[in-house]
Amino acid sequence: MKRIALLGMPNTGKSTLFNRLTGGAARVGNWPGITVELLTGKILLGGDMVEIIDLPGIYDIHGFSEDEQVVRHFLHDNVPDLAIVVLNATQIERQLSLLLQLKQLNLNMVVLLNMADEAKKFGITIDGDKMAELLGMPIHLISAKYGQGHVEAMQAITKAVRYPTPGMAEALRTQLEQDAHIEHEMTRVLSGAVQVPARLSDTRTDKLDSLMLHPWLGLPIFFGIMYLLFQGIFFFGQPLQGGVADLLGWLRKTVLDPACAGLPTWMSGLLLDGIYNGVATVAAFVPIIILFFLFMAIVEDTGYLSRAAFLMDALMAKMGLDGRSFVMLLMGFGCNVPALMGTRVMRSRSLRMLSMLVIPFSLCSARLQVFVFITAALFSPKHAPLVLFSLYLFSFAAAILTALLFKRQFANTEPFVLELPPYRFPTGRQMLLRGWHEVTHFLRRASQFIIAGVVLVWLLTNLPPSAEPASANTLAGMIGAWLHPLFAPIGINEQLTIALIFGFVAKEIVIGSLAVIYGMSGDALGGALGQQLDWVQAYSFMLFTLIYTPCLSTIATLRNESKNNGFTALALAWSLALAWLVSFLFYQGARALGY
Amino acid sequence: MHGTITDIHTDDALRQRLQALGFRSGKDIEIIRKAIFGGPVQVRIGTTDILLRQTEAALIEVRTE
């Protein structure tokens, strides 16, 4: 099968184009020569199936960041039949250097000038034909976001992929060390084909920034936006969640209960009280997860994350981190795994390690499910959003404390240099793709972890067969009793202890396993928890859930990214110790105060 | 504040990175704003806005008219 590589600098809309080309049907794949996974998709082009690979964004083909090395090694070991080079048309004068570097490699290339619509707004006029002539390669102006120029570009790609690729030169590096030549070429092409207004400013971006990046108002606005965001998730998400839960409950009563009536008791118990109750309780959270990622996508796609890095860098520097670490911490609120992978842009190893040590404290969307459920069960609708917000503050506090404690072990002098993109409007299509991606991701996790998890919980709470289900005589009861001395001082009972053990695998299982342990789902489970626990115990449970290890995937990613078992063990042990300590201080403190 | 870059006094690795972002001798540069608490500065070179810390910004020599 022919192979097409997508190349370009960061912030060029390369991934948007990739999504548009593949229609979102992408998967992660391994490639010879590199250790990281890349997104790939197969599409039909001119009657043949071709494989498209989305390579990491790079500034410089002979740079030394991990991403730049990944791209180089990939090209070296998997010579593509065609390279689609995506350039940001609004920044053509400095993106051209990468294109000319790639041209020297004798790759078969099609060049796409993306964000052509935005460039027009800036007053940049680009003569595509003239530029193609000067460069001697096909060039197309497109808008990956809105789809303009897409058809013509696809025709050019279909045509270009038929031609055989000249061999990838072995002396790649030496060829590229010709900066002087490239600078000369840049001036030649720029002066020949591009006219840029002398002082170029998107006045609306500037106006907005003078407010958003205001010396005194910037930070309060930032925290205000975050607060509203999480309020919004709660406000819109909870009714939706209730609706889905009711629907799934109704389905069980009217369809599944009668259908399983003929089965042996143990089997209908396993199917309905085990798998169905567990999975249904978790599935009710799908709307909240979609909402969460939609909101995060808005923050990310508008370009506000770089602004957050600007506002927070001075504070982060005091903790031995930088603005980018803060952005990754925010990304971690979605899922810790991509946030950990995002630290690859940092060149200093110690800065990366310190960032990776704090990211797992980000209150990810899986933990959000647990907290939404417990707060709804234990707190009044008026207090629930505040309780949730306080957990976000605890999440920040745990990250800050960890950074302060460990910054001397991971001291760094990495320079902080970051590009500030103009504000952009996220499009509906991008948001839909994002939401769809999260749902499929969730369903994959559901099939891998959650079903296996709830089945295991059901077995533990129903074996040996002689014991009363979920009683002290079952395996679960025995484990709970055995761990009781450790968890009693922080107010966590034996049932919740079992849920915490399974939460080690994935936080999505916690509520599902509680549903199995208590043998009820949805509102009934919430009611049972409300009867059994007071708010101090529930809050202590949530604090422990927040701080201890997020999930197995996070641990695996920590191990993969750091390539260091000692570091992984440190991250694991420290989060467990901190979780216990914080819950202990809170629980005993609240009890001592008479709550 | 407007000026022209005259020299970049960083180590090779950072110079390479800055050059990729458009920092070169002879280029016009403008300081847009500084963050509070001694945070980063926002500069503009051509159509590109870049954030960098004051420690790094201090290594870039600029002539003002």
Side-chain angles (χ1 to χ4, degrees):
Chain A
M1 196 187 312
K2 293 226 172 172
R3 210 161 30 223
I4 299 180
L6 270 183
L7 277 162
M9 289 192 185
N11 284 322
T12 51
K14 206 161 50 64
S15 300
T16 313
L17 179 73
F18 179 79
N19 282 335
R20 189 172 272 280
L21 287 173
T22 57
R27 55 175 198 89
V28 275
N30 290 303
W31 293 91
I34 53 171
T35 50
V36 297
E37 293 177 324
L38 300 173
L39 269 182
T40 64
K42 291 194 179 81
I43 59 164
L44 197 62
L45 250 193
D48 297 314
M49 283 304 276
V50 295
E51 187 162 32
I52 300 188
I53 304 104
D54 188 17
L55 293 176
I58 54 165
Y59 286 109
D60 185 348
I61 191 78
H62 66 216
F64 295 94
S65 79
E66 260 183 67
D67 280 346
E68 286 156 348
Q69 293 186 41
V70 163
V71 170
R72 218 161 37 229
H73 295 170
F74 175 88
L75 289 177
H76 186 274
D77 292 352
N78 311 275
V79 180
D81 298 279
L82 176 72
I84 299 180
V85 182
V86 186
L87 303 185
N88 180 339
T90 64
Q91 299 175 346
I92 180 72
E93 351 112 79
R94 69 175 182 76
Q95 301 224 333
L96 208 49
S97 61
L98 181 66
L99 177 61
L100 289 168
Q101 286 183 334
L102 294 169
K103 189 187 172 197
Q104 288 189 327
L105 303 179
N106 292 326
L107 278 171
N108 183 20
M109 279 197 282
V110 169
V111 184
L112 301 182
L113 290 179
N114 192 19
M115 310 196 195
D117 46 331
E118 219 172 282
K120 212 179 272 171
K121 268 193 246 157
F122 274 131
I124 302 176
T125 47
I126 300 175
D127 184 342
D129 295 338
K130 184 75 196 260
M131 199 156 163
E133 187 193 316
L134 285 167
L135 282 163
M137 56 177 82
I139 290 184
H140 291 269
L141 281 95
I142 60 158
S143 164
K145 211 198 268 182
Y146 301 103
Q148 285 142 5
H150 194 70
V151 176
E152 294 81 1
M154 285 310 285
Q155 284 166 353
I157 292 165
T158 313
K159 206 170 120 196
V161 80
R162 292 218 182 93
Y163 293 118
T165 308
M168 177 87 179
E170 279 299 313
L172 169 74
R173 294 277 303 284
T174 47
Q175 265 201 49
L176 287 170
E177 285 160 9
Q178 297 181 15
D179 285 353
H181 176 65
I182 287 165
E183 275 196 48
H184 177 74
E185 281 276 82
M186 278 174 72
T187 1
R188 190 173 72 94
V189 177
L190 283 172
S191 59
V194 182
Q195 283 135 29
V196 184
R199 195 166 163 280
L200 193 140
S201 66
D202 186 354
T203 45
R204 261 182 299 179
T205 286
D206 279 356
K207 264 191 202 142
L208 202 52
D209 271 345
S210 60
L211 177 68
M212 301 300 247
L213 301 181
H214 187 276
W216 298 111
L217 296 176
L219 279 175
I221 289 176
F222 169 73
F223 286 111
I225 290 176
M226 287 296 135
Y227 181 73
L228 282 180
L229 224 61
F230 295 126
Q231 283 275 17
I233 291 167
F234 210 79
F235 181 80
F236 293 110
Q238 257 197 337
L240 285 171
Q241 183 208 347
V244 175
D246 289 347
L247 187 73
L248 290 167
W250 172 85
L251 190 69
R252 172 171 176 170
K253 229 179 248 144
T254 51
V255 181
L256 295 176
D257 276 345
C260 293
L263 294 172
T265 325
W266 69 268
M267 195 188 244
S268 69
L270 173 63
L271 288 177
L272 294 174
D273 296 328
I275 297 174
Y276 189 79
N277 266 9
V279 174
T281 309
V282 180
F285 285 95
V286 170
I288 285 194
I289 300 302
I290 295 176
L291 265 181
F292 181 87
F293 279 99
L294 283 183
F295 285 179
M296 278 307 277
I298 295 175
V299 174
E300 207 183 323
D301 292 349
T302 51
Y304 188 61
L305 278 187
S306 310
R307 269 93 189 161
F310 175 81
L311 292 168
M312 294 298 290
D313 184 64
L315 293 176
M316 298 309 279
K318 293 196 174 51
M319 298 167 217
L321 297 164
D322 73 14
R324 287 170 303 174
S325 323
F326 181 73
V327 168
M328 291 309 150
L329 214 54
L330 282 185
M331 301 278 288
F333 284 131
C335 176
N336 293 174
V337 172
L340 287 170
M341 289 162 78
T343 59
R344 281 181 199 155
V345 294
M346 299 168 187
R347 285 151 204 243
S348 149
R349 184 161 171 84
S350 41
L351 175 63
R352 230 192 123 185
M353 300 287 250
L354 190 59
S355 301
M356 289 203 287
L357 200 58
V358 303
I359 286 169
F361 294 113
S362 285
L363 195 166
C364 66
S365 56
R367 277 173 273 193
L368 181 66
Q369 295 173 18
V370 181
F371 302 152
V372 166
F373 192 88
I374 305 260
T375 48
L378 269 292
F379 296 88
S380 71
K382 211 176 102 198
H383 290 136
L386 280 174
V387 170
L388 196 62
F389 191 65
S390 74
L391 288 164
Y392 278 103
L393 295 183
F394 263 109
S395 159
F396 273 117
I400 291 170
L401 178 72
T402 303
L404 286 176
L405 283 174
F406 288 95
K407 74 173 179 184
R408 258 169 282 281
Q409 275 72 47
F410 298 100
N412 85 90
T413 52
E414 163 120 350
F416 172 71
V417 178
L418 193 71
E419 193 190 321
L420 193 68
Y423 286 107
R424 299 199 170 94
F425 282 104
T427 61
R429 190 191 152 83
Q430 261 172 313
M431 315 270 290
L432 282 179
L433 272 175
R434 183 84 180 253
W436 173 243
H437 180 81
E438 293 312 327
V439 173
T440 51
H441 176 80
F442 176 85
L443 292 177
R444 237 188 349 261
R445 275 177 77 96
S447 52
Q448 281 173 1
F449 288 129
I450 299 169
I451 293 179
V454 294
V455 168
L456 205 58
V457 177
W458 188 85
L459 289 175
L460 286 181
T461 49
N462 282 271
L463 291 176
S466 56
E468 178 85 359
S471 70
N473 298 326
T474 61
L475 291 174
M478 286 184 237
I479 296 170
W482 183 63
L483 288 170
H484 191 63
L486 196 59
F487 285 94
I490 58 175
I492 292 175
N493 68 25
E494 292 169 20
Q495 285 95 329
L496 294 180
T497 304
I498 303 293
L500 283 178
I501 294 173
F502 285 96
F504 191 80
V505 178
K507 291 290 171 289
E508 287 94 333
I509 306 177
V510 170
I511 293 300
S513 61
L514 281 176
V516 176
I517 293 166
Y518 284 89
M520 356 176 156
S521 67
D523 290 342
L525 174 62
L529 287 175
Q531 296 241 302
Q532 201 188 29
L533 306 173
D534 65 9
W535 74 269
V536 179
Q537 285 171 303
Y539 200 82
S540 174
F541 174 74
M542 290 195 286
L543 280 177
F544 194 90
T545 306
L546 168 66
I547 300 171
Y548 88 117
T549 328
C551 62
L552 274 185
S553 315
T554 302
I555 299 171
T557 312
L558 273 171
R559 165 74 191 81
N560 270 340
E561 297 293 315
S562 67
K563 307 262 185 298
N564 187 329
N565 290 330
F567 175 78
T568 313
L570 169 75
L572 196 65
W574 165 245
S575 61
L576 277 170
L578 185 65
W580 193 87
L581 207 66
V582 170
S583 296
F584 180 78
L585 289 177
F586 170 80
Y587 183 72
Q588 297 298 341
R591 287 284 186 252
L593 289 172
Y595 285 106
Chain B
M1 199 183 72
H2 259 289
T4 309
I5 299 177
T6 50
D7 209 348
I8 299 170
H9 299 283
T10 63
D11 59 29
D12 283 347
L14 181 57
R15 183 176 308 118
Q16 203 177 24
R17 207 164 133 59
L18 288 174
Q19 277 176 353
L21 285 162
F23 288 81
R24 283 201 179 79
S25 292
K27 283 259 192 173
D28 280 341
I29 186 168
E30 186 186 351
I31 295 181
I32 305 294
R33 63 169 57 82
K34 288 180 187 170
I36 46 164
F37 309 131
V41 288
Q42 178 186 351
V43 299
R44 179 168 298 165
I45 297 176
T47 56
T48 308
D49 282 19
I50 298 123
L51 308 174
L52 66 169
R53 276 191 186 158
Q54 299 197 6
T55 42
E56 277 82 45
L59 300 173
I60 298 166
E61 201 177 300
V62 173
R63 191 185 62 230
T64 53
E65 282 88 47

